[in-house]
Amino acid sequence: MPYTITPGDPISALDTPSMLVDLDLMETNITSLMTQLLPTGISIRPHSKTTKSAILAQKLISAGAKGACVAKLSEAEVMCAKGVTDLLITCEIIGAAKVKRLVELWKEFRDVKVVVDSEVGARAIDEAVQESGVGERMKVLLDLDVGLHRTGCQPGDAALALARTVAECQNLELIGVQGYEGHLQHVHGVEERKKACLESMKILVETAEALRRDGHAIRVVTTGGTGTAEFCVTVPGVTEVQPGSFLFMDTDYRNAVGTKYSNSLTILSTVISKQGPKSVTIDAGLKSLTTDSGLAECKTAGYEYGVLGDEHGSLSWTDGADLKVGDRVEMIPSHIDPTINLHDFYYAHRKGVIEAIWPVDARGKVQ
Ligand code: PLP
Ligand code: MN
């Protein structure tokens, strides 16, 4: 008898580890973000690098989002195939194989937009579009370093020079600037995060203005994540924000941003062994929960998680109720995006009854 789960089943019917979504909490997160940000008139382009799910991207569009961001070309391919086609790919497309694939995708889906931060990158895409013979220009945003020092050209002369290069490319249309302040998303304290964010936004909007003065029709100024979107939208000149993690949150974000959004995703695990009077082993290790941003937390307070390898974790306690073999626990991930990428399905439930099963469509799509 194969293992099947269908909507209407209780979560107790799930095998473990399984990725659970509390729909009431997730929907509240969406409503909170949309009610705060939509009235500003700024576009919301949620980042699908978090969910890797076309169904969830579509849900966010239904709630008011303008398309989606994806990190990678291979995620864009998945999203387009599933009908989410107004996309911004936020990582640079570099290398012959990727450029070829990009143009193949764009031939079919013209709403796919890309960022560039180098002349080499821009010219390669320009040539490939030329060779495609489509006769239209691909929409491109200049990626600007606003302090993260990850990608992006430097503001000032470098940005102007690159914009001129892109403008020279007959097959590219420079429509905007992306400046993602990822280094500020987890700054603790609202005032500290706001202050640093506004400094980054100054670099971004001033660069956009400088490019306009130089004759470029900059229409899109896109930035922001879960930790900063509320500040970005107050800055005249910003047109779009890209939050992703707000949908599910994680312990790292909760520690920095607080409880403005709820932890709506957990990894359901089973106690498989007792290892002492106040310690058990669960079936969730490194292959179920990532550790780059600290250790996951048990949703029930009082139990401390430890990694016991690829497949195992420990839970220990001092005065919590004893856990025994067969008990189930829900673990809150410490970093949501790479944790989701470890799982095949979301099991979305309301008050313990499964309502939907969503595939992690772009799982493993890192190219
Ligand atoms: N935009 C870009 C370019 C990103 O890389 C990310 C996340 O890393 C986001 C937006 C979304 O940020 P968050 O998940 O923190 O909301
Ligand atoms: Mn992340």
Side-chain angles (χ1 to χ4, degrees):
M1 179 72 180
Y3 166 66
T4 49
I5 287 290
T6 40
D9 287 344
I11 56 177
S12 59
L14 284 168
D15 200 354
T16 63
S18 275
M19 190 159 72
L20 293 184
V21 174
D22 184 319
L23 280 169
D24 289 332
L25 296 179
M26 185 194 82
E27 287 166 4
T28 304
N29 288 345
I30 297 175
T31 309
S32 303
L33 181 107
M34 294 298 175
T35 27
Q36 184 175 22
L37 303 190
L38 275 180
T40 65
I42 304 288
S43 302
I44 302 164
R45 186 179 285 284
H47 211 308
S48 292
K49 71 192 282 277
T50 304
T51 68
K52 287 179 168 277
S53 155
I55 288 173
L56 284 166
Q58 208 77 65
K59 268 190 198 303
L60 289 162
I61 290 168
S62 302
K66 177 187 171 57
C69 291
V70 289
K72 299 296 187 79
L73 173 64
S74 54
E75 291 176 343
E77 290 170 340
V78 170
M79 288 292 167
C80 284
K82 302 225 163 206
V84 181
T85 60
D86 183 344
L87 295 176
L88 171 64
I89 306 176
T90 61
C91 294
E92 275 67 14
I93 304 287
I94 300 295
K98 216 175 240 107
V99 170
K100 188 162 180 276
R101 268 169 83 175
L102 169 67
V103 174
E104 284 306 310
L105 183 70
W106 173 81
K107 274 160 79 174
E108 212 179 327
F109 302 99
R110 301 290 164 74
D111 279 343
V112 171
K113 297 161 278 292
V114 295
V115 298
V116 295
D117 81 350
S118 68
E119 175 167 356
V120 171
R123 295 228 187 259
I125 298 171
D126 182 48
E127 274 166 35
V129 174
Q130 172 75 35
E131 277 164 26
S132 76
V134 168
E136 256 183 56
R137 294 192 291 165
M138 187 185 292
K139 293 188 179 71
V140 167
L141 284 78
L142 187 142
D143 189 17
L144 184 75
D145 181 9
V146 294
L148 172 59
H149 306 322
R150 184 173 71 179
T151 60
C153 67
Q154 290 307 302
D157 290 345
L160 276 175
L162 181 59
R164 286 178 189 171
T165 300
V166 177
E168 267 169 38
C169 293
Q170 297 291 304
N171 306 284
L172 303 182
E173 180 189 3
L174 180 63
I175 63 159
V177 186
Q178 165 177 274
Y180 176 58
E181 72 300 14
H183 58 307
L184 306 178
Q185 298 305 326
H186 293 83
V187 169
H188 287 227
V190 182
E191 286 311 316
E192 290 84 345
R193 203 165 56 254
K194 179 178 177 182
K195 183 166 176 286
C197 174
L198 295 180
E199 282 164 17
S200 282
M201 290 307 105
K202 190 165 184 287
I203 298 170
L204 178 59
V205 296
E206 284 183 358
T207 301
E209 267 309 310
L211 298 189
R212 286 188 193 107
R213 279 197 302 276
D214 204 39
H216 306 286
I218 301 300
R219 310 196 291 274
V220 180
V221 177
T222 184
T223 180
T226 297
T228 59
E230 63 187 303
F231 315 125
C232 300
V233 296
T234 66
V235 177
V238 168
T239 70
E240 185 176 279
V241 287
Q242 313 181 348
S245 300
F246 73 96
L247 199 58
F248 300 131
M249 294 296 279
D250 51 36
T251 61
D252 196 30
Y253 245 132
R254 185 210 53 211
N255 293 341
V257 174
T259 51
K260 179 179 167 78
Y261 304 110
S262 303
N263 290 110
S264 60
L265 183 149
T266 54
I267 303 300
L268 181 68
S269 312
T270 300
V271 174
I272 60 165
S273 177
K274 184 124 184 158
Q275 290 290 317
K278 289 183 180 294
S279 178
V280 293
T281 297
I282 63 171
D283 59 356
L286 290 170
K287 287 183 185 171
S288 305
L289 290 160
T290 58
T291 55
D292 59 283
S293 302
L295 294 177
E297 286 177 16
C298 189
K299 189 169 149 183
T300 312
Y303 300 95
E304 195 174 340
Y305 180 65
V307 175
L308 290 175
D310 294 352
E311 325 294 345
H312 302 97
S314 62
L315 283 180
S316 50
W317 62 94
T318 43
D319 38 41
D322 279 0
L323 288 171
K324 56 185 190 312
V325 171
D327 283 351
R328 287 174 164 222
V329 290
E330 286 182 52
M331 301 300 298
I332 306 173
S334 52
H335 189 179
I336 197 70
D337 325 62
T339 296
I340 289 170
N341 193 47
L342 298 172
H343 297 267
D344 287 327
F345 296 102
Y346 295 93
Y347 295 95
H349 74 94
R350 210 178 294 277
K351 296 175 182 62
V353 179
I354 294 166
E355 217 171 272
I357 301 162
W358 305 317
V360 183
D361 304 296
R363 177 178 183 195
K365 301 294 185 223
V366 292
Q367 289 184 341

